[in-house]
Amino acid sequence: MAYRKLGRDNKHRRSMLATLTKQVVENESITTTETRAKEVRKFVDKMITYGKKGDLVSRRKVLAFLHNDKATVDKIFNDLAKRYENRNGGYTQILKLEERRGDNSLMVILRLVSEEKEEAKPEKKEKKEKKASKKEKEEKK
């Protein structure tokens, strides 16, 4: 099969995945089990991709999946779509924690990836240029 059943029937699983997707979008980070996180990641990426499309059909699909939660849909289409406009997929990351005490299942943090600013990269080049200019000054002496 192409998906995990997570020990639930179809309606319960779909509702659980929609709720976890809403929580990831609203809070930008959740703590859950590894199998749930791997399954929810697919839906979060799909919702952000719909947000990047920005058309009416995409908005209706997101509304239908997220149980008509308009605040979450607005955040997807207005904030997250603009944040990830230059990124082609991979909007989430999974950070492993420790096993849960009761049933020994691996707990993870599922969070949205924060975009690195492009301004940080030229600073490194400036430092290299400064070092090169210092060496040139020393050679001239």
Side-chain angles (χ1 to χ4, degrees):
M1 290 218 170
Y3 61 90
R4 295 169 180 85
K5 292 190 178 182
L6 301 174
R8 284 153 177 75
D9 63 349
N10 193 25
K11 291 179 182 179
H12 186 189
R13 180 177 51 251
R14 187 199 170 286
S15 178
M16 181 184 65
L17 293 173
T19 303
L20 287 172
T21 303
K22 278 198 286 191
Q23 290 175 355
V24 170
V25 170
E26 289 171 0
N27 303 322
E28 298 191 6
S29 175
I30 61 168
T31 303
T32 185
T33 62
E34 184 181 26
T35 53
R36 284 183 185 175
K38 286 181 178 179
E39 195 64 25
V40 170
R41 176 175 51 183
K42 298 174 190 175
F43 294 101
V44 172
D45 287 354
K46 188 182 287 190
M47 295 301 121
I48 294 173
T49 303
Y50 282 144
K52 286 172 62 175
K53 278 187 180 178
D55 58 351
L56 183 62
V57 174
S58 299
R59 184 175 288 270
R60 286 181 176 167
K61 285 182 180 179
V62 174
L63 270 169
F65 182 77
L66 297 179
H67 305 299
N68 292 324
D69 188 359
K70 294 179 182 176
T72 305
V73 173
D74 286 340
K75 182 172 182 180
I76 290 172
F77 279 81
N78 297 332
D79 299 338
L80 298 180
K82 290 176 184 169
R83 185 192 308 178
Y84 297 118
E85 65 186 353
N86 295 326
R87 190 177 185 98
N88 296 326
Y91 310 115
T92 58
Q93 82 184 121
I94 295 178
L95 304 171
K96 293 185 180 183
L97 298 175
E98 55 200 21
E99 286 83 17
R100 186 165 49 194
R101 187 169 181 186
D103 59 356
N104 205 28
S105 62
L106 183 63
M107 299 300 289
V108 298
I109 295 175
L110 176 69
R111 68 178 188 182
L112 295 175
V113 175
S114 60
E115 284 292 311
E116 296 178 5
K117 295 186 178 181
E118 296 178 9
E119 299 171 3
K121 293 179 183 177
E123 291 176 6
K124 292 180 182 178
K125 291 180 182 177
E126 291 175 4
K127 289 180 182 178
K128 289 180 182 178
E129 290 174 4
K130 289 180 183 178
K131 288 180 183 179
S133 63
K134 286 181 184 178
K135 287 180 182 178
E136 291 174 2
K137 289 179 183 177
E138 291 175 2
E139 291 174 0
K140 290 180 181 178
K141 290 180 183 178

